[in-house]
Amino acid sequence: MKCFLRKEGTNLTAFLCHLRLGDNLQDFLTVTTWSPVAAAFNARVHRRLDLFHQNGLFGVPELSSVGGFEVVQDRALQETQQLVEQACRCPPGVQTVEIFDKLSDSLCRVADMADFIKVAHPDPSYREASERTCINIGTMVERLNTNVDLCKSLKDLLDNEEIFSKLDPETRRVAELFLFDFEISGIHLDKKKRKEAVNLNVKLLDLSNQFLMSCHMPNRIEKRALPEHIHQHFTKDGNYIQIGGLNADAPDDLVREVAYKVFLYPNENVMHILEELLSCRDKLARLVGYESYAHRALKGTMAKSPEIDNFALTNNLRIKPGLNLPLGVIRAERFNIEPSLYSPYFSLGACMEGLNGLFTQLYGVSLLAEQPSVGEVWSEDVRKLAVVHETEGLLGYIYCDFFYRPDKPHQDCHFTIRGGRQLEDGQYQLPIVVLMLNLPHPTQSAPTLLSPGMMENLFHEMGHAMHSMLGRTRYQHVTGTRCVTDFAEVPSILMEYFATDYRVISQFARHYQTGQPLPQSMVARLCESKKVCGAADTQLQVFYAIMDQVYHGKPQNRSTTDIMIDMQKKYYGLPYVTNTAWQLRFSHLVGYGAKYYSYLMSRAVASMVWKQCFYKDPLNRETGERYRREMLAHGGGKEPMLMVEGMLQKRPSIEDFVNALVSDLEPDFETFIMDSEG
């Protein structure tokens, strides 16, 4: 009973009625008129005060107060008990799978929402209440995964060949996925070992939460330890400076060096949490019959097992020429891509307008800004979008938490709040997702302006959102991004290709003051600089993926830092910096444990889809519809390699994956000629 602890009627013109542009916006509206969706993101929001229609978070009435978490949690647990009893009495058939999916939906709707709120809500009392809910729901999920009677009701269906063979392919796959959840939780063990498996899973939930929270906690250093002229780049806290990230985009070398050394300074408590987390994962995997946690995690993925994923893909990549370049020879100054030269063309509103136009042309989908109800969102800066198809109507909702707050996670990410599924009355349960970025706030004289990297991240995260919006699976257990990890990143990475194609960029990139379009030569230089830096980035991803596999492979009698130093020496071109522990900030070890290679595999698939299907005409509606039909619509309800094969009309080999990644790094010599002539 997998529960993803990560991610209806409406007035579609509510934005026009309730959203007012700030007076300051007139200063930079002299040249161009923003569309409604652009204006929603380029203006400061002034929400209408409504004392009579209070609502709760995401429209859940109970969540208008902290105590509501316990109410929705208890209701879900009570419904769970009823559905378990119903499933155990149900004769084998499609209704068995439907009950299991209702059971999963009942728990996930609470757990997924709580999982988001515990990291995003600015009020500590909300974060604490939601964390308790996550733990309680997670504990129930693990108990269900070792419930023998519940498993028997599912096995009776799968063992009845006559009935099972008559089910539709999606229903058969979902039934098999539910059984897989039972198997990896040790349902085949005796009572004592099943209890041990439950206890290990519960402990893992707690350790995962602790590690995830610690990854984003800032480190402090006394003000006097740092030169005064760089204090302005960090958050001040009395006599201390707080450093909550790597400040990788800072132009000052000293700022980047200080941020790196302070933010990555080892914390013994967090080190212990990580090593205990890895140890528990190994114990659980071996308890339920797997050689290692990596073998357990990769079952059912495109890679299938550790033997054929990272160490085939990454070792092939490692010997390709050009991938061991030190960062010193790939500096972006060669291409004159100072972010401040680009950001005036990438106002947040313009980028959202570009996404809206792209989705309209590819899928017939529009993004419409709506005014949230009072209490529906956790911050005044959050925007709400209704995703509407020209013939299908409302597809779902996207909440956009785009602006920096000190309390937010520093990594861009997306969360599924509610999955889509077919309801008994013929209606469709609309998906709800949240996109979280860390963009600068608009100023008195300018809207939020994005660097090229920020713009690309926005496109990437919106790819995840549209995966959920455009899917129409029968079961929420496989809705949208609820698919195998090494396929889930394909739609988001594909969006990065659109974000760097001039035919797409030219439709929205306009200077926020003059209205002038972004010159094509600047886009060409940006794309070429990405290719050069892409070699180093690919090498870095190889290092991350290998380290992740080693952490989750055969246990080693040495610290995670010693392992990291060894892997860095073998697979990365830059030396280890003394007294740093980068792995303690590697939050992907929680959600992507033993599966970080997925970024490389997904990028290879996305590259092949882009070059074969979209490169000639990135705005072609027929291709967009085919992409939705073959890859987006199924979520996790279809074997991932079959979706890839359907789109590419071939089953790619490891060599195809490697060639796709390497070909993305090949320079465009026309750009070098154009650059030298300019």
Side-chain angles (χ1 to χ4, degrees):
M1 193 64 54
K2 186 185 299 179
C3 195
F4 288 73
L5 301 176
R6 302 232 197 240
K7 82 187 11 28
E8 290 220 14
T10 182
N11 179 3
L12 298 180
T13 59
F15 162 77
L16 298 176
C17 300
H18 299 306
L19 187 65
R20 297 188 292 106
L21 301 184
D23 294 337
N24 60 298
L25 207 60
Q26 295 176 359
D27 294 339
F28 51 89
L29 284 179
T30 54
V31 177
T32 181
T33 300
W34 304 113
S35 69
V37 71
F41 287 87
N42 269 356
R44 288 186 180 276
V45 173
H46 298 269
R47 301 209 190 280
R48 189 176 65 178
L49 183 63
D50 190 339
L51 300 177
F52 302 101
H53 296 90
Q54 291 276 346
N55 212 329
L57 292 167
F58 297 106
V60 179
E62 293 82 358
L63 296 185
S64 58
S65 67
V66 173
F69 283 98
E70 189 172 353
V71 175
V72 296
Q73 167 198 292
D74 290 347
R75 186 166 59 214
L77 294 177
Q78 185 177 3
E79 185 179 2
T80 294
Q81 187 58 44
Q82 295 170 353
L83 288 168
V84 169
E85 293 173 0
Q86 191 177 342
C88 292
R89 294 194 307 265
C90 178
V94 65
Q95 62 270 31
T96 305
V97 183
E98 291 172 345
I99 294 171
F100 268 75
D101 193 62
K102 284 184 192 176
L103 182 55
S104 177
D105 181 60
S106 178
L107 293 169
C108 285
R109 274 191 297 171
V110 177
D112 290 342
M113 190 186 313
D115 193 57
F116 165 73
I117 293 169
K118 78 178 183 184
V119 298
H121 205 288
D123 187 336
S125 63
Y126 271 83
R127 295 200 298 268
E128 291 166 8
S130 59
E131 184 168 359
R132 289 194 297 271
T133 295
C134 283
I135 292 172
N136 291 336
I137 295 291
T139 300
M140 172 57 74
V141 169
E142 297 307 331
R143 287 175 180 165
L144 292 177
N145 282 342
T146 53
N147 185 315
V148 176
D149 292 335
L150 188 62
C151 180
K152 183 179 182 302
S153 68
L154 187 64
K155 279 186 63 65
D156 287 345
L157 170 62
L158 273 74
D159 292 342
N160 191 320
E161 190 174 337
E162 181 181 355
I163 296 176
F164 190 70
S165 62
K166 294 177 182 177
L167 301 177
D168 64 272
E170 184 180 348
T171 300
R172 290 200 300 270
R173 177 166 173 79
V174 171
E176 290 167 348
L177 289 173
F178 277 125
L179 184 61
F180 174 62
D181 291 335
F182 280 114
E183 291 173 344
I184 64 174
S185 296
I187 194 68
H188 54 286
L189 302 174
D190 60 40
K191 187 175 181 179
K192 182 180 178 181
K193 289 184 177 179
R194 283 201 307 274
K195 185 176 180 180
E196 185 181 351
V198 169
N199 291 337
L200 281 170
N201 273 306
V202 170
K203 185 176 181 180
L204 280 170
L205 278 174
D206 184 46
L207 289 168
S208 296
N209 283 330
Q210 289 183 54
F211 182 71
L212 197 57
M213 298 298 285
S214 69
C215 285
H216 306 297
M217 293 294 291
N219 275 343
R220 296 199 312 167
I221 188 171
E222 290 189 17
K223 281 183 181 179
R224 62 182 182 175
L226 302 180
E228 190 171 346
H229 73 278
I230 69 170
H231 288 187
Q232 61 181 318
H233 296 279
F234 306 111
T235 303
K236 297 176 183 177
D237 181 16
N239 292 324
Y240 292 89
I241 294 288
Q242 283 195 358
I243 299 181
L246 295 175
N247 289 54
D249 293 328
D252 190 323
D253 292 348
L254 182 59
V255 171
R256 295 196 306 275
E257 180 182 355
V258 166
Y260 190 93
K261 290 181 175 179
V262 174
F263 187 62
L264 299 183
Y265 191 80
N267 180 302
E268 289 301 321
N269 182 51
V270 181
M271 188 82 71
H272 175 74
I273 291 171
L274 175 58
E275 292 181 349
E276 186 69 11
L277 174 68
L278 296 175
S279 176
C280 281
R281 283 178 169 175
D282 181 69
K283 288 177 184 176
L284 179 61
R286 292 176 184 277
L287 179 65
V288 298
Y290 289 91
E291 185 178 334
S292 69
Y293 184 82
H295 286 83
R296 177 184 184 268
L298 268 63
K299 186 174 180 181
T301 63
M302 285 198 289
K304 303 299 184 186
S305 73
E307 284 78 10
I308 63 168
D309 73 319
N310 280 297
F311 296 103
L313 179 61
T314 55
N315 276 312
N316 274 322
L317 272 173
R318 193 168 155 254
I319 62 173
K320 293 292 180 179
L323 287 182
N324 288 315
L325 291 173
L327 292 178
V329 301
I330 58 172
R331 294 186 61 83
E333 282 85 347
R334 164 66 181 82
F335 296 93
N336 191 25
I337 56 161
E338 170 60 39
S340 62
L341 298 176
Y342 286 82
S343 58
Y345 298 92
F346 294 142
S347 73
L348 176 56
C351 293
M352 293 304 296
E353 189 171 341
L355 285 164
N356 185 42
L358 177 63
F359 296 148
T360 299
Q361 291 173 84
L362 287 180
Y363 314 120
V365 164
S366 298
L367 306 176
L368 302 179
E370 283 200 359
Q371 173 76 354
S373 303
V374 176
E376 184 178 349
V377 296
W378 50 99
S379 171
E380 284 294 299
D381 291 325
V382 176
R383 271 66 162 179
K384 180 183 179 183
L385 295 176
V387 182
V388 183
H389 190 272
E390 59 191 20
T391 60
E392 298 172 32
L394 185 61
L395 298 181
Y397 294 102
I398 303 173
Y399 289 83
C400 303
D401 188 354
F402 283 173
F403 299 104
Y404 171 79
R405 295 193 309 274
D407 55 88
K408 284 174 63 174
H410 291 280
Q411 289 184 323
D412 298 339
C413 47
H414 82 287
F415 295 81
T416 297
I417 304 301
R418 184 176 72 189
R421 71 183 182 101
Q422 195 69 49
L423 301 175
E424 293 177 1
D425 62 4
Q427 298 294 311
Y428 197 79
Q429 176 173 291
L430 298 180
I432 298 174
V433 302
V434 174
L435 299 186
M436 183 176 285
L437 306 177
N438 281 281
L439 304 179
H441 290 266
T443 67
Q444 290 294 320
S445 59
T448 292
L449 303 178
L450 278 61
S451 67
M454 291 175 182
M455 184 270 287
E456 190 173 306
N457 286 345
L458 171 62
F459 271 63
H460 177 103
E461 297 302 335
M462 192 60 78
H464 284 305
M466 295 308 293
H467 195 180
S468 292
M469 296 297 113
L470 293 172
R472 276 302 180 265
T473 56
R474 180 176 178 179
Y475 303 100
Q476 73 82 36
H477 193 65
V478 291
T479 184
T481 55
R482 289 178 178 167
C483 54
V484 294
T485 310
D486 53 10
F487 180 81
E489 292 295 328
V490 172
S492 55
I493 293 174
L494 181 64
M495 284 295 294
E496 296 176 20
Y497 289 89
F498 287 98
T500 51
D501 188 282
Y502 183 72
R503 292 163 294 181
V504 177
I505 293 177
S506 64
Q507 295 203 332
F508 69 88
R510 297 283 188 278
H511 197 286
Y512 77 99
Q513 289 176 317
T514 67
Q516 291 297 309
L518 180 65
Q520 185 173 0
S521 60
M522 289 180 67
V523 177
R525 286 198 299 271
L526 177 64
C527 293
E528 284 311 294
S529 72
K530 281 174 58 63
K531 289 180 182 179
V532 176
C533 294
D537 182 62
T538 300
Q539 183 183 7
L540 186 61
Q541 295 300 312
V542 169
F543 161 51
Y544 291 167
I546 291 287
M547 186 178 73
D548 175 47
Q549 284 294 304
V550 174
Y551 278 168
H552 292 98
K554 184 179 179 181
Q556 303 188 32
N557 294 320
R558 50 182 179 154
S559 72
T560 56
T561 300
D562 288 339
I563 294 172
M564 181 194 67
I565 293 171
D566 187 29
M567 293 301 104
Q568 185 166 339
K569 187 182 299 182
K570 290 180 180 177
Y571 295 98
Y572 196 42
L574 293 178
Y576 166 73
V577 177
T578 305
N579 287 327
T580 61
W582 177 87
Q583 76 278 15
L584 302 185
R585 299 293 185 177
F586 194 23
S587 60
H588 287 85
L589 288 173
V590 173
Y592 285 75
K595 293 183 283 190
Y596 191 82
Y597 76 91
S598 298
Y599 283 102
L600 287 169
M601 185 168 279
S602 291
R603 181 165 293 281
V605 172
S607 175
M608 288 184 273
V609 170
W610 170 258
K611 289 167 186 168
Q612 184 173 317
C613 306
F614 287 104
Y615 179 74
K616 284 187 178 180
D617 183 1
L619 303 173
N620 185 276
R621 177 65 177 271
E622 184 179 343
T623 307
E625 293 288 1
R626 189 167 81 85
Y627 172 57
R628 180 188 181 186
R629 186 172 60 250
E630 294 287 352
M631 297 186 75
L632 297 180
H634 305 288
K638 187 175 180 180
E639 181 74 29
M641 198 58 83
L642 291 179
M643 291 189 273
V644 174
E645 190 174 352
M647 193 68 194
L648 298 177
Q649 296 298 296
K650 67 169 285 188
R651 180 173 288 254
S653 64
I654 286 292
E655 186 174 293
D656 291 327
F657 286 126
V658 173
N659 289 339
L661 290 170
V662 174
S663 67
D664 277 353
L665 305 176
E666 294 172 355
D668 179 356
F669 289 103
E670 289 184 13
T671 302
F672 285 96
I673 295 171
M674 178 174 59
D675 197 38
S676 61
E677 291 177 347

